[in-house]
Amino acid sequence: MTAPLLLMVSLLSCGAWRGIAQDDPVARLSDDDLGHGERIYKAQCALCHGIDGAGGTGSSLQRPVLPRARDNKALYEVIRDGVKGRMPGSWLSESETWQVAGYVRSLGQVGAGDIPGDASQGQRIYEAKGCAGCHIISGEGGSLGPDLTTIGDRRGPRYLRESLVEPGTTLPDGLLLIAAMTEEGEEIRGLRINEDVFSIQLRDAANRFHSLRKTTLRELHREFGKTLMPSYRESLPPQELDDLTAYLASLRRNR
């Protein structure tokens, strides 16, 4: 290739890159911008998504492709507007929102890292403990607890392990345990399925459905921070907890 032609190709390539950068503010962020985005993230986002983006009550961000934000414009809009019923919108300026978006994209290049434990052994523990009686994986199992089919995409390893030893502290939003006593003295304890001014619907540990009129109840208690799921802190040794955590973390869309 001649020198003039090589120079022309080089100039065209640089021009193409400038066009991409102009269309995508994330591509124009400096190291200082990303540092500011990191500080905002740790102050406002890490509580749900984890200090390193590995997930918590919010989804893991250590993925190159985020289902709700497949490009940077969509990511900007999610940070700005939030996700209805799941994540609030922000009061950040436009430039700060782009800075956070850039930092979140950098988390997607980190990767989930090594998780202690043997996922295949964890699957055997999952089956032996009868977890499928309450949870669904790939369409199989019970419906009392949350669907775990892609739990590894939505929750980080620390959150998953905590849910095994202290399940009451990691309850999904909207999941509430109710204790009721009827006029006849029958005690009913289950997860709230629906509630209005006059009635409440529950599903108990045996997966039985109860629809109760509030005026016919002697007592009705909302047991915040409690769950029907047992703690495995004492019943599983640390290695088996690691194995079960590794199995749950492996449940992803691309597994």
Side-chain angles (χ1 to χ4, degrees):
M1 184 179 295
T2 63
L5 183 56
L6 182 61
L7 177 61
M8 182 179 295
V9 170
S10 177
L11 290 173
L12 288 172
S13 298
C14 291
W17 168 248
R18 282 196 297 273
I20 293 171
Q22 288 170 358
D23 292 338
D24 182 4
V26 168
R28 301 197 304 270
L29 295 175
S30 67
D31 289 343
D32 286 344
D33 289 325
L34 293 177
H36 190 57
E38 179 181 6
R39 289 190 289 275
I40 296 172
Y41 172 89
K42 288 181 176 178
Q44 301 188 27
C45 313
L47 180 64
C48 293
H49 291 286
I51 195 71
D52 55 358
T57 55
S59 301
S60 170
L61 302 176
Q62 290 188 352
R63 292 178 280 170
V65 178
L66 301 174
R68 295 181 182 274
R70 294 186 175 274
D71 58 44
N72 291 334
K73 181 176 182 294
L75 177 57
Y76 172 91
E77 292 172 350
V78 167
I79 296 170
R80 181 192 64 191
D81 302 331
V83 178
K84 186 176 180 180
R86 296 189 178 188
M87 171 180 153
S90 75
W91 293 92
L92 300 173
S93 67
E94 180 178 352
S95 62
E96 288 174 329
T97 304
W98 280 116
Q99 288 167 344
V100 175
Y103 178 68
V104 168
R105 283 300 184 214
S106 74
L107 294 174
Q109 301 171 14
V110 173
D114 294 331
I115 300 171
D118 182 336
S120 60
Q121 180 62 22
Q123 182 174 5
R124 289 190 284 271
I125 296 169
Y126 178 92
E127 295 167 354
K129 289 295 180 180
C131 303
C134 294
H135 298 282
I136 292 174
I137 294 178
S138 299
E140 297 183 3
S143 59
L144 183 61
D147 188 323
L148 301 180
T149 303
T150 58
I151 192 66
D153 281 331
R154 295 178 284 115
R155 300 291 183 261
R158 283 193 296 273
Y159 177 98
L160 294 172
R161 188 183 175 97
E162 184 70 10
S163 71
L164 297 173
V165 298
E166 293 289 347
T169 65
T170 56
L171 292 175
D173 292 340
L175 200 63
L176 181 61
L177 188 62
I178 301 291
M181 180 178 290
T182 67
E183 287 182 332
E184 295 77 20
E186 180 187 5
E187 295 183 6
I188 301 173
R189 192 165 180 258
L191 297 176
R192 182 180 63 182
I193 304 302
N194 191 36
E195 180 178 7
D196 57 31
V197 175
F198 306 104
S199 66
I200 188 167
Q201 289 73 44
L202 311 177
R203 194 178 299 278
D204 66 20
N207 216 21
R208 293 175 300 205
F209 182 79
H210 304 266
S211 183
L212 308 170
R213 291 188 62 81
K214 293 181 179 179
T215 56
T216 67
L217 298 176
R218 290 187 192 176
E219 298 179 6
L220 180 65
H221 301 290
R222 292 166 176 80
E223 299 188 338
F224 296 100
K226 295 184 179 180
T227 176
L228 294 174
M229 178 174 165
S231 168
Y232 291 101
R233 183 188 297 277
E234 303 299 331
S235 59
L236 289 178
Q239 182 57 57
E240 292 188 357
L241 285 170
D242 285 345
D243 294 340
L244 187 50
T245 299
Y247 172 60
L248 295 174
S250 75
L251 299 175
R252 296 172 176 266
R253 287 181 177 83
N254 60 351
R255 67 187 180 94

